[in-house]
Amino acid sequence: MFIDCVYKALRTPKETQQTLEILTEADMLSGDSSVIQLYEQKLSYYFNTKHAIAVSSGTAALHASLLTVIRPGDEVLVPAICVPMTISAILQAGGVPVFYDCSVNSFKPELNDLDKKITPATRVLVTVSMWGYRAIDNDTVTFCRQRNIMIIEDAAQSAGTDSLLGYEGTIGDIGCFSTHEFKLISTGEGGFILTNSDTYAEKIRSFTHIGFSERHGGFGYADGLNYKLSAFQAAVGIVQLTSLDAKIQGREKRKVKWKSLLQSAEGISFLNSDVMSRHNCYSLVCLLNDNAKQSGIELARKLYNVGVNTDTFRYKNTIVSNYPYYKEYYKHPKYTRDNNIDFPNATEMVKKMLVLPCHERVSVEAIHKASQSIMQFIQDA
Ligand SMILES: *Cc1c(COP(=O)(O)O)cnc(C)c1O
């Protein structure tokens, strides 16, 4: 593969040195370490939220957040285009996933569809900012406030995406982030939760610390799991956070390069990143129209055969409710089980999408070479 969407984060010798220095200073290495406190301070400073809670993964962040706000049987609105981890967290928290359509060529919710999906049991809207693109706006927030629905943002892929509303993951009630290897802040495994609510923060902190109650100064006042991050990962995270903006700039260059080489291609346009906002350039989402004479998946397969592995090829652009395990939750009366009818916008987008990586292991020469292949495959179709 001369381009691989699978991101293996680079660390410079200087960054490794800085990480080791932080660890040398550490009072201890567990999740109660001073290094964790420092990491959480730096996260809440960067993202401008009252609270930041470091946890062991993005899935743990989602699970702990959902468990804090729903009761078993509550319905959780979740987008038709997301990752299975989002659904797993809902199921593990005892929630019932209710899949909703996105608006046209966007990862934001289609509010008309949300309206149809709401019942007295609806408690939470989960937004998922796929590939770093925004998935929440003012209309979404107003819609939920008026209906007393909480918003949990799955911002696992969108660390650093910013708009007039603030950073993605700080706009709803609770934001959940992953710092898995593939994400922009890479700590191997890990995640964190952001919120401005004292109540949610206290509950989530307690749950992720095996039920430890800060107010009572002990265990046995609440239930929980050990979802703590270790000082090792937090030390990596502190250094990674420092280079987040530089990383985004590096990705921005690659995204601009892809766009400049592909813009003349008949049949390709690009998913809009909103004006007055910053996309973290996790990946570039291209949309193929009729002139391309093929679906995103077909083009992704041809690219794979010449050495370009894209997320489109790896994940097959599936509507998430189609996974076999979720069959139970994708049936009448809410759905017809015809994707075209249930999620017209998401189905259309999934067909058209070609997702191109912009991370620092993708060289400019490789982008040139791959772009030529893309132009050729469209011409030949
Ligand atoms: C990576 C990811 C997760 C899960 O994060 P982990 O740290 O791997 O548990 C959840 N949601 C989205 C959108 C992701 O990209």
Side-chain angles (χ1 to χ4, degrees):
M1 289 295 140
F2 72 92
I3 290 186
D4 194 349
C5 58
V6 179
Y7 174 51
K8 302 181 187 79
L10 288 171
R11 274 167 300 276
T12 63
K14 184 165 165 248
E15 286 174 325
T16 305
Q17 191 58 41
Q18 285 168 340
T19 304
L20 290 174
E21 278 162 22
I22 293 167
L23 287 170
T24 310
E25 297 293 315
D27 54 353
M28 54 181 172
L29 297 175
S30 75
D32 299 315
S33 165
S34 57
V35 179
I36 298 287
Q37 277 174 28
L38 183 63
Y39 182 42
E40 289 178 343
Q41 274 166 18
K42 286 186 183 286
L43 287 169
S44 68
Y45 181 78
Y46 183 93
F47 289 100
N48 194 23
T49 57
K50 198 163 175 200
H51 302 279
I53 302 161
V55 293
S56 53
S57 72
T59 312
L62 287 162
H63 184 219
S65 301
L66 284 156
L67 260 172
T68 299
V69 299
I70 66 171
R71 291 168 191 228
D74 280 351
E75 293 180 1
V76 179
L77 298 161
V78 67
I81 302 176
C82 69
V83 297
M85 289 75 93
T86 318
I87 315 292
S88 299
I90 295 168
L91 294 176
Q92 291 296 319
V96 178
V98 175
F99 307 102
Y100 65 81
D101 199 13
C102 55
S103 53
V104 176
N105 294 343
S106 160
F107 295 109
K108 293 171 195 161
E110 170 64 46
L111 299 183
N112 289 328
D113 187 49
L114 281 189
D115 233 351
K116 286 187 220 148
K117 299 281 165 65
I118 290 174
T119 74
T122 308
R123 198 72 53 222
V124 178
L125 170 79
V126 175
T127 59
V128 185
S129 34
M130 294 297 295
W131 296 291
Y133 289 88
R134 292 180 62 205
I136 184 168
D137 57 13
N138 253 331
D139 293 345
T140 312
V141 174
T142 307
F143 178 96
C144 290
R145 292 281 175 270
Q146 284 168 351
R147 289 158 183 80
N148 207 16
I149 293 170
M150 268 200 57
I151 302 173
I152 295 180
E153 291 176 79
D154 179 347
Q157 300 186 2
S158 57
T161 292
D162 198 5
S163 72
L164 293 176
L165 299 180
Y167 284 107
E168 198 80 1
T170 69
I171 299 161
D173 297 285
I174 301 173
C176 298
F177 292 78
S178 165
T179 59
H180 178 268
E181 188 81 27
F182 296 173
K183 312 298 156 79
L184 262 91
I185 304 170
S186 301
T187 64
E189 300 284 353
F192 58 91
I193 296 157
L194 301 177
T195 183
N196 288 312
S197 154
D198 297 341
T199 313
Y200 294 141
E202 188 187 337
K203 285 186 180 168
I204 292 168
R205 190 173 288 284
S206 168
F207 182 81
T208 54
H209 291 63
I210 332 163
F212 184 86
S213 161
E214 283 185 354
R215 204 180 318 163
H216 297 97
F219 290 102
Y221 295 91
D223 200 15
L225 288 168
N226 183 356
Y227 275 170
K228 299 193 296 293
L229 192 74
S230 83
F232 284 98
Q233 294 149 311
V236 178
I238 289 167
V239 178
Q240 288 272 304
L241 185 61
T242 312
S243 49
L244 176 59
D245 290 315
K247 266 199 195 187
I248 293 173
Q249 278 168 22
R251 290 191 183 218
E252 175 82 37
K253 272 193 208 126
R254 292 169 176 86
K255 182 179 154 184
V256 167
K257 183 52 82 180
W258 277 119
K259 284 176 80 167
S260 72
L261 292 168
L262 292 174
Q263 65 183 0
S264 64
E266 200 114 2
I268 292 193
S269 64
F270 309 103
L271 192 67
N272 261 337
S273 354
D274 304 280
V275 284
M276 304 289 281
S277 68
R278 175 176 77 165
H279 174 221
N280 73 354
C281 302
Y282 187 99
S283 295
L284 170 63
V285 173
C286 305
L287 299 172
L288 307 183
N289 63 37
D290 289 347
N291 289 331
K293 299 189 204 68
Q294 59 205 308
S295 69
I297 298 169
E298 284 163 336
L299 183 51
R301 192 176 304 119
K302 292 174 197 168
L303 283 169
Y304 183 80
N305 290 333
V306 297
V308 180
N309 187 23
T310 60
D311 272 351
T312 306
F313 181 82
R314 270 185 85 217
Y315 298 114
K316 313 285 182 266
N317 287 5
T318 322
I319 297 283
V320 77
S321 56
N322 292 345
Y323 284 101
Y325 193 72
Y326 309 144
K327 215 165 147 190
E328 175 68 19
Y329 303 98
Y330 184 40
K331 59 186 186 192
H332 293 292
K334 281 200 170 71
Y335 313 100
T336 66
R337 285 196 60 80
D338 178 342
N339 285 174
N340 290 300
I341 298 169
D342 296 330
F343 318 108
N345 299 335
T347 308
E348 183 64 21
M349 191 148 93
V350 145
K351 258 186 250 155
K352 298 191 295 192
M353 252 181 346
L354 177 69
V355 180
L356 300 173
C358 299
H359 60 73
E360 59 258 39
R361 290 190 190 252
V362 178
S363 71
V364 171
E365 300 79 69
I367 293 175
H368 271 274
K369 199 170 147 194
S371 298
Q372 275 170 2
S373 297
I374 292 171
M375 305 284 263
Q376 196 64 51
F377 290 139
I378 289 179
Q379 229 171 60
D380 294 348

